[in-house]
Amino acid sequence: DTGVSQDPRHKITKRGQNVTFRCDPISEHNRLYWYRQTLGQGPEFLTYFQNEAQLEKSRLLSDRFSAERPKGSFSTLEIQRTEQGDSAMYLCASSDPGQGPNSPLHFGNGTRLTVT
Amino acid sequence: AQRVTQPEKLLSVFKGAPVELKCNYSYSGSPELFWYVQYSRQRLQLLLRHISRESIKGFTADLNKGETSFHLKKPFAQEEDSAMYYCALNARGKLIFGQGTELSVKP
């Protein structure tokens, strides 16, 4: 499967613990996005990268969230001191802007986080 | 403010009936709009984009700048169209999604 890959698929953690998720985009895609989705809502933008540069971070994202893409390939999203409100599906997507401004986002299957 | 609104959480129709999923947007620039679909147990995927003016799986969507709408239409719904549909707006490099509409097509 050459699509976007996310790991793990599921994560259960206790409140206060740190968690880290990984995303491997489609290899030729230089843009990578993180979204969060809660039940009954659409995906909510968190941050995105062009190669290794983080171009934008949502103002809704607290300082407990950090994302990296050190070599412009895979990305990690870390949540420190998790809270129950962080429980959600975390989606990663990638795109190739070389296909034009309307190049589609290709999504992974997501990581479902449950904070107990 | 940039915003996408999908007023219906659930739309239920019978097979063969016409379908219209509503989407309204708010954006100060020139809008680039998309419809994404998520079938059961599958990942979110692009259905169509307004700039392509294409018909995918019998669905079409027309951008109406006067009404700031991008409604998704299909003349005859099929059971396999049952899914979650999300309207999305390209806001300077990132997509802003609506809340989604669940389409249920009954036999």
Side-chain angles (χ1 to χ4, degrees):
Chain A
D1 185 353
T2 57
V4 176
S5 176
Q6 293 188 245
D7 183 69
R9 292 292 299 272
H10 304 275
K11 178 70 177 178
I12 300 174
T13 191
K14 292 186 177 179
R15 189 178 58 180
Q17 298 296 303
N18 299 345
V19 294
T20 300
F21 309 141
R22 176 179 170 124
C23 172
D24 287 89
I26 293 171
S27 58
E28 60 269 24
H29 287 183
N30 56 21
R31 281 207 176 167
L32 186 148
Y33 302 78
W34 285 100
Y35 283 83
R36 176 173 62 191
Q37 187 173 24
T38 53
L39 199 61
Q41 300 297 317
E44 175 191 25
F45 171 77
L46 295 179
T47 187
Y48 84 102
F49 295 83
Q50 173 127 346
N51 299 313
E52 64 274 11
Q54 189 171 19
L55 297 188
E56 187 172 344
K57 185 175 175 180
S58 170
R59 286 173 292 176
L60 300 174
L61 213 57
S62 78
D63 291 342
R64 297 183 296 105
F65 288 71
S66 62
E68 293 183 345
R69 196 183 182 197
K71 298 182 179 179
S73 56
F74 73 91
S75 175
T76 57
L77 177 68
E78 181 182 17
I79 309 174
Q80 296 181 327
R81 304 181 302 282
T82 52
E83 302 173 356
Q84 287 187 321
D86 298 331
S87 295
M89 176 73 84
Y90 289 83
L91 296 170
C92 177
S94 68
S95 72
D96 176 12
Q99 294 182 19
N102 289 291
S103 55
L105 266 60
H106 296 259
F107 282 86
N109 282 314
T111 293
R112 181 169 295 285
L113 173 66
T114 302
V115 182
T116 62
Chain B
Q2 48 211 24
R3 186 183 303 121
V4 176
T5 303
Q6 294 178 248
E8 303 140 327
K9 289 190 82 79
L10 173 65
L11 185 62
S12 184
V13 302
F14 286 103
K15 176 183 173 182
V19 169
E20 182 178 51
L21 286 79
K22 291 183 167 45
C23 172
N24 289 91
Y25 67 90
S26 173
Y27 188 58
S28 56
S30 182
E32 298 169 4
L33 287 148
F34 307 79
W35 278 98
Y36 278 75
V37 61
Q38 187 167 25
Y39 300 102
S40 179
R41 302 183 189 280
Q42 295 188 26
R43 59 187 70 189
L44 193 58
Q45 59 187 288
L46 176 71
L47 179 61
L48 55 79
R49 44 193 147 178
H50 92 267
I51 199 167
S52 301
R53 303 187 68 81
E54 56 203 346
S55 174
I56 303 293
K57 299 184 179 182
F59 285 97
T60 59
D62 290 319
L63 177 61
N64 186 324
K65 291 186 179 181
E67 296 183 358
T68 60
S69 68
F70 187 57
H71 302 328
L72 183 68
K73 299 177 184 180
K74 184 169 182 176
F76 308 105
Q78 303 299 314
E79 289 179 69
E80 55 265 29
D81 296 328
S82 295
M84 282 295 302
Y85 291 81
Y86 296 94
C87 183
L89 166 72
N90 185 339
R92 287 180 281 280
K94 64 182 186 291
L95 288 188
I96 306 296
F97 286 87
Q99 304 95 314
T101 297
E102 180 182 356
L103 175 63
S104 174
V105 182
K106 300 181 178 179

